[in-house]
Amino acid sequence: MLFIHCEAYSFSDEQSLHTAIFPASYDNNVRPGENRSIPLQINITFYFKSIKEFDESVSKFSITGALEVSWLDHRLTWDPATYGGDLDLTIIPQKKVWIPFLVNMLMYDALEEVGHSDMNVRLESSGRLNWVSPNIFESTCDADLSYYPFDYQTCFLRFYIPGFMPTEIDLVPVRQTMNLAEYIENALWDVTETKVYTTIDNLKLQELVMSVTMKRRSVYYISSLVLPVAFLSILQLAVFFMPPESGERVGFVTTVLLAVAVYLTLIQDKLPEGSEPSVAYLSYKLLGDFMVGVLMTIGVIIGLIFYSREDGVDIPNYLRTFHKLILGRKLCITREKRKVTWTDNEGAMDSTVVEKVADDDIRSNESSPLVTWREVGQATDRFCLIMFGFVLINCNLIYIVVIATIN
């Protein structure tokens, strides 16, 4: 029978280790580093878990994740052979060792350090400490909503260690992007790019910068906002196809106008109270649709006034000219068909005279056409239909072209 002896450390070994590496002389307020001319290198990796919130109206951005921070403390080394032969790693409370005091420069609420005092740290025999701190990371993020709801947003987290200069502590990102192995997809935003890098700010402080670029998932907004607004724009033009005798023209166009105003209000509630470049082009489009709706309502009222005028009231010459330009023709007295009986040569002579007289009457009517107020109302409807239809179609086309350029 073969017996293999395996060395394994015991509870007393680890207890002795903690007593040995944390003497009374150990000060967790002094940064590690035996050679003070060399900056202490702190390696950082960020594990991105999910997007918790992005509120454009208050410029608040928050994500959940974990910062993995590792550094070397020359005071916390030992020989594993002395403690059971294989004691090369132990767990110690965070508050017993020096921890980099990371602070978010773009904090949304009051100042808070990263991590919690009750967290633990993994310590290796080489003095390497590995600290993983899960948390909710919040920051301010001013959104550019010019292309809402087809917009991209980039938000930042900027960390630094107060009191230390780059010659004393060097923040080193392990990778140039966030670790997305545990990332959970967000229902409203699609993460397109992440970056992790360091920079020196105007105060000569080194900052660890983490950026998240997101694209808004626009399917919901297309079905609930963009398409209804487009259909309302088309629906506004239908008022000119309604017969004026129905008496529903003003009510119909006012109802559609109020619907556009409701959508305009809904969008403004979602957007921050800011000026350029935060005002969405969709707001301008809805404002244009609303102004067209107001002018369309005025046009409908004017048209109904023309329809209700008595034919005995004289029509001004400018309205006659307007009628001629819009309809492109002159309305004349209808020429009646005359029945002529051919009995003899004398009868034929009489019919020629009758036809000549009728032609003279028609030419006289053509020189001074008769226009009714109803026909002026029809000209007004056609003018409003052409003009407002042209404006609404071009407004929608311009908006589609602008959105297509960013997608």
Side-chain angles (χ1 to χ4, degrees):
M1 182 178 290
L2 178 63
F3 293 94
I4 300 177
H5 176 69
C6 297
E7 292 184 329
Y9 71 90
S10 63
F11 172 80
S12 59
D13 291 333
E14 189 167 8
Q15 190 175 34
S16 301
L17 172 64
H18 283 215
T19 303
I21 63 177
F22 290 108
S25 60
Y26 182 87
D27 188 355
N28 59 1
N29 294 318
V30 180
R31 76 168 178 91
E34 188 173 9
N35 188 351
R36 311 305 279 185
S37 63
I38 300 176
L40 175 65
Q41 180 175 315
I42 298 179
N43 300 324
I44 299 178
T45 303
F46 186 79
Y47 295 88
F48 191 8
K49 187 69 174 180
S50 64
I51 299 175
K52 181 178 181 293
E53 181 184 9
F54 180 45
D55 192 342
E56 303 95 326
S57 59
V58 295
S59 300
K60 180 181 180 181
F61 174 67
S62 62
I63 61 176
T64 59
L67 270 175
E68 182 182 10
V69 185
S70 67
W71 66 97
L72 192 65
D73 193 334
H74 67 285
R75 298 168 293 182
L76 303 176
T77 60
W78 71 90
D79 184 7
T82 308
Y83 302 93
D86 62 345
L87 181 53
D88 54 3
L89 186 146
T90 186
I91 308 298
I92 56 176
Q94 169 185 319
K95 55 188 176 183
K96 294 186 65 175
V97 296
W98 180 89
I99 295 290
F101 184 77
L102 291 170
V103 174
N104 185 9
M105 291 283 285
L106 299 177
M107 52 193 167
Y108 183 80
D109 290 322
L111 175 64
E112 292 183 0
E113 65 174 314
V114 176
H116 192 273
S117 58
D118 293 333
M119 298 289 291
N120 292 324
V121 181
R122 297 176 66 86
L123 174 62
E124 300 176 2
S125 60
S126 61
R128 172 70 58 182
L129 292 104
N130 190 31
W131 173 50
V132 179
S133 175
N135 207 339
I136 297 176
F137 300 89
E138 297 180 347
S139 70
T140 58
C141 182
D142 294 328
D144 181 4
L145 300 174
S146 301
Y147 300 101
Y148 175 90
F150 304 95
D151 53 325
Y152 288 80
Q153 302 296 335
T154 300
C155 295
F156 296 90
L157 296 169
R158 306 175 72 96
F159 296 98
Y160 85 110
I161 302 178
F164 292 96
M165 304 302 291
T167 56
E168 299 167 334
I169 288 183
D170 183 20
L171 300 176
V172 179
V174 176
R175 49 189 299 169
Q176 304 302 312
T177 60
M178 296 181 179
N179 192 320
L180 301 178
E182 301 294 328
Y183 177 72
I184 301 174
E185 293 288 339
N186 186 266
L188 298 179
W189 296 95
D190 183 21
V191 176
T192 59
E193 185 181 24
T194 62
K195 292 182 180 180
V196 181
Y197 57 94
T198 57
T199 183
I200 305 297
D201 61 14
N202 295 329
L203 299 176
K204 307 301 181 182
L205 299 175
Q206 186 185 35
E207 294 183 6
L208 177 72
V209 182
M210 297 185 292
S211 66
V212 180
T213 302
M214 308 169 292
K215 179 183 178 182
R216 192 187 302 271
R217 298 182 185 271
S218 56
V219 176
Y220 167 77
Y221 299 96
I222 292 175
S223 60
S224 64
L225 182 63
V226 177
L227 288 181
V229 169
F231 292 150
L232 284 176
S233 300
I234 299 174
L235 191 61
Q236 283 180 308
L237 300 175
V239 67
F240 298 108
F241 296 98
M242 298 179 64
E245 296 83 2
S246 65
E248 299 294 334
R249 277 193 165 192
V250 176
F252 176 81
V253 72
T254 304
T255 302
V256 178
L257 180 63
L258 291 176
V260 176
V262 169
Y263 274 102
L264 182 61
T265 304
L266 291 176
I267 290 181
Q268 294 302 325
D269 290 341
K270 291 180 175 293
L271 303 183
E273 297 178 358
S275 57
E276 298 288 352
S278 296
V279 178
Y281 292 129
L282 183 60
S283 296
Y284 290 123
K285 178 188 176 299
L286 283 179
L287 181 60
D289 292 343
F290 182 78
M291 296 304 298
V292 170
V294 172
L295 296 176
M296 197 177 299
T297 304
I298 296 174
V300 168
I301 294 174
I302 293 175
L304 290 177
I305 292 175
F306 291 154
Y307 275 111
S308 61
R309 287 283 180 86
E310 297 292 337
D311 290 336
V313 180
D314 291 338
I315 300 176
N317 290 331
Y318 68 89
L319 289 180
R320 293 177 181 269
T321 305
F322 169 77
H323 170 270
K324 177 182 177 181
L325 292 176
I326 299 302
L327 295 183
R329 60 186 178 87
K330 298 178 181 179
L331 297 180
C332 308
I333 296 179
T334 304
R335 173 179 173 178
E336 296 182 358
K337 294 184 179 180
R338 300 172 182 265
K339 183 177 181 181
V340 180
T341 303
W342 298 88
T343 56
D344 52 16
N345 291 336
E346 185 178 355
M349 292 291 293
D350 293 339
S351 65
T352 303
V353 175
V354 172
E355 289 291 337
K356 183 177 183 301
V357 173
D359 291 340
D360 291 340
D361 292 341
I362 293 174
R363 280 195 295 270
S364 176
N365 290 332
E366 289 179 350
S367 62
S368 59
L370 297 179
V371 180
T372 64
W373 281 107
R374 183 177 182 83
E375 291 160 357
V376 174
Q378 292 174 353
T380 303
D381 288 347
R382 180 170 296 186
F383 172 76
C384 292
L385 178 62
I386 295 173
M387 183 181 70
F388 295 131
F390 176 80
V391 172
L392 289 175
I393 291 175
N394 280 275
C395 183
N396 284 277
L397 287 177
I398 292 173
Y399 177 73
I400 292 173
V401 169
V402 170
I403 294 304
T405 56
I406 66 168
N407 290 305

